[in-house]
Amino acid sequence: EVQLVESGGGLVQPGGSLRLSCSASGFTFSSLWMHWVRQAPGEGLIWISQIAGDESFTKYADSVKGRFTISRDNAKNTLYLQMNSLRADDTAVYYCARGGIGTEIDHWGQGTLVTVSS
Amino acid sequence: EIVMTQTPLSLPVTLGQPASISCRSSQSLRHSDGSTYLNWVQQRPGQPPRLLIYKISNRFSGVPDRFSGSGAGTDFTLEISKVEAEDVGVYYCTQAKEFPYTFGQGTKLEIK
């Protein structure tokens, strides 16, 4: 069974930093793309970043480019999101998600809440 | 970026009746590889999203056959043949043809 468990969320002040982690199990982690998708309270889904299985390339939404960094440790089956220069509009539930055999996102974690506030 | 537009945004449905959600993309989702990367996800209240349909019409593992997808190019539809109580939630179309991946605004399905 595919499992994705996020951690690292919490309350942070504007301008601060936070690192999210996602522990993956139930599949060959290194073979698949991984993504981060976020959802502000009461709002829709926003894709923010992707990383290839072998880390050969990464992609970012314009809203986080230059501030967020996606990475992975295939030996630990763990995905990361380093978030710097956080702003109030980064407040959201952050979902770790698995890329499928094609380009689709086929599994989602339960999410971790990040609140940016003074 | 590709803009995804869903209609309606609110969908009250009687139990056992059909439901239909439309999704339009600002450009064709047909890739040069021949596939069309339009997917549908469901988000039940208080739950993470769940993949329902990928590449227009393929039901993901465990998805009931009352869910079906159709369409081509820029116009797509998700249909539920007979709505059940567990179908309450928000449905999003999403394109995975190119980065950034984008989602529609979401359609909130509720029981009348």
Side-chain angles (χ1 to χ4, degrees):
Chain A
E1 180 193 1
V2 173
Q3 287 202 322
L4 301 168
V5 180
E6 302 93 337
S7 60
L11 175 63
V12 61
Q13 292 190 337
S17 298
L18 212 55
R19 188 175 85 153
L20 306 183
S21 300
C22 171
S23 178
S25 60
F27 64 101
T28 305
F29 181 70
S30 60
S31 298
L32 296 172
W33 289 5
M34 294 295 295
H35 302 260
W36 289 98
V37 177
R38 71 184 181 186
Q39 185 171 36
E43 301 294 321
L45 300 168
I46 304 290
W47 174 89
I48 58 171
S49 188
Q50 170 272 350
I51 186 167
D54 60 1
E55 302 181 78
S56 57
F57 67 92
T58 58
K59 297 289 185 182
Y60 296 93
D62 285 347
S63 59
V64 306
K65 201 173 292 183
R67 299 188 300 124
F68 290 12
T69 303
I70 191 171
S71 63
R72 63 194 297 163
D73 185 334
N74 286 341
K76 295 182 177 180
N77 287 354
T78 303
L79 175 73
Y80 302 101
L81 185 68
Q82 177 66 43
M83 304 187 294
N84 299 330
S85 304
L86 283 161
R87 311 185 302 222
D89 64 357
D90 293 318
T91 293
V93 173
Y94 285 73
Y95 293 105
C96 163
R98 187 187 87 161
I101 302 300
T103 65
E104 73 277 3
I105 291 174
D106 70 356
H107 285 86
W108 305 67
Q110 290 294 315
T112 186
L113 176 63
V114 172
T115 303
V116 184
S117 175
S118 54
Chain B
E1 71 178 43
I2 298 175
V3 177
M4 307 297 290
T5 304
Q6 291 180 228
T7 54
L9 299 185
S10 177
L11 184 57
V13 183
T14 301
L15 285 173
Q17 293 301 301
S20 179
I21 301 170
S22 295
C23 175
R24 177 166 290 179
S25 56
S26 60
Q27 58 183 267
S28 176
L29 300 184
R30 182 176 171 85
H31 195 274
S32 56
D33 66 8
S35 291
T36 299
Y37 293 103
L38 182 282
N39 309 315
W40 292 93
V41 301
Q42 174 198 58
Q43 189 173 29
R44 291 170 171 152
Q47 295 296 311
R50 164 199 180 198
L51 177 65
L52 290 179
I53 303 281
Y54 62 98
K55 289 196 287 185
I56 302 178
S57 59
N58 297 277
R59 273 188 302 277
F60 190 59
S61 174
V63 174
D65 60 8
R66 64 179 182 275
F67 290 93
S68 64
S70 62
T74 61
D75 289 282
F76 307 93
T77 303
L78 175 70
E79 294 183 317
I80 308 173
S81 58
K82 295 179 182 178
V83 170
E84 298 188 4
E86 67 178 18
D87 299 335
V88 165
V90 181
Y91 292 79
Y92 298 91
C93 61
T94 173
Q95 66 83 16
K97 177 193 175 190
E98 63 182 47
F99 293 105
Y101 284 13
T102 47
F103 295 84
Q105 317 96 299
T107 295
K108 187 172 184 178
L109 186 149
E110 61 180 26
I111 304 300
K112 274 186 194 173

